[in-house]
Amino acid sequence: MERNLILLGAPGAGKGTQAQRLAARFGIPQVSTGDMLRAARREGTPLGKKAEGFMNAGQLVPDEVVIGLVEERLGKADAKGGFILDGFPRTIPQAQALGAVLQKLGRAPLAVLDVQVPEATLLERLGGRLSCPKDGASYHVKFTPPKKPGLCDTCGSALQTRADDRPEAISQRFREYNDKTAPLVDYYTKTGLLRTVDGVGELEVVLGRIVRALEA
Ligand code: AMP
């Protein structure tokens, strides 16, 4: 069965963490535009250089940049059986472009999951987040600490606070989310594709809710 999924939710809602687990469970790739942009920034590609200033400031990268990335990624062989989009679409034009791409590729309709978490919890999660600069793995000093303090479990690299997890950038990311991304909830409700999931609680509990919402 072809599973084409979108995880919607504010910064810190757990999209990346859950997308990673869903990808392993269903055997389909996680497509995270944030991870793709961070990789491009790390490698210093022209796209990475273009995106860097926006990302560090907590602003959205221009639509045409991310739309091109996603279009290319979804056309790859490993995405034929489905994919989990995490962090895309983030604007109405991105959602419209995605619809057009899927239609062009003759792909099944999407299931859209809105992972809901109150703002106070989001702030607490983003505040203690640590990320691996090498493989992008995400930890939290309190909720999901690495086995050895400050070091990535999988590759041993020193963990860092993402530039956009600094307080000034966090406020900007919330503004961007409220202005540009939150309208997608209405957009996908109208198309009948949206399912809502409570994102508060233990990681495995939230994962269970997502899987049940997909099966419902
Ligand atoms: P994330 O890891 O999803 O929180 O994304 C980190 C940053 O990458 C965002 O704050 C944006 O600057 C950029 N970004 C990721 N996905 C998108 C997108 N779909 N549209 C625009 N900018 C994005």
Side-chain angles (χ1 to χ4, degrees), residues 37 46 51 66 68 75 78 90 106 109 111 130-131 143-144 166 182 201 205 216:
L37 291 168
V66 277
D78 68 337
R90 259 180 158 99
L130 292 171
S131 303
F143 307 125
T144 48
R166 288 195 292 257
V205 174

Side-chain angles (χ1 to χ4, degrees), residues 68-108:
L69 264 182
V70 170
E71 190 163 8
E72 195 192 317
R73 181 66 188 86
L74 296 187
K76 293 206 169 142
D78 68 337
K80 292 261 180 319
F83 51 79
I84 304 165
L85 280 167
D86 138 30
F88 183 94
R90 259 180 158 99
T91 64
I92 300 272
Q94 289 181 19
Q96 289 165 337
L98 175 64
V101 169
L102 292 178
Q103 200 168 20
K104 197 168 81 187
L105 296 172
R107 305 293 301 263

Side-chain angles (χ1 to χ4, degrees), residues 56-169:
N56 292 349
Q59 291 167 356
L60 292 185
V61 170
D63 285 337
E64 63 277 13
V65 175
V66 277
I67 289 170
L69 264 182
V70 170
E71 190 163 8
E72 195 192 317
R73 181 66 188 86
L74 296 187
K76 293 206 169 142
D78 68 337
K80 292 261 180 319
F83 51 79
I84 304 165
L85 280 167
D86 138 30
F88 183 94
R90 259 180 158 99
T91 64
I92 300 272
Q94 289 181 19
Q96 289 165 337
L98 175 64
V101 169
L102 292 178
Q103 200 168 20
K104 197 168 81 187
L105 296 172
R107 305 293 301 263
L110 293 152
V112 185
L113 292 146
D114 184 33
V115 183
Q116 297 187 330
V117 175
E119 191 157 319
T121 310
L122 295 171
L123 287 171
E124 198 183 9
R125 288 184 183 177
L126 291 171
R129 183 151 80 172
L130 292 171
S131 303
C132 176
K134 200 162 153 212
D135 60 23
S138 190
Y139 301 87
H140 191 281
V141 284
K142 189 161 123 199
F143 307 125
T144 48
K147 292 196 183 90
K148 289 190 193 143
L151 299 178
C152 179
D153 288 352
T154 37
C155 72
S157 303
L159 299 174
Q160 297 175 351
T161 297
R162 264 168 54 173
D164 59 349
D165 281 342
R166 288 195 292 257
E168 345 50 279

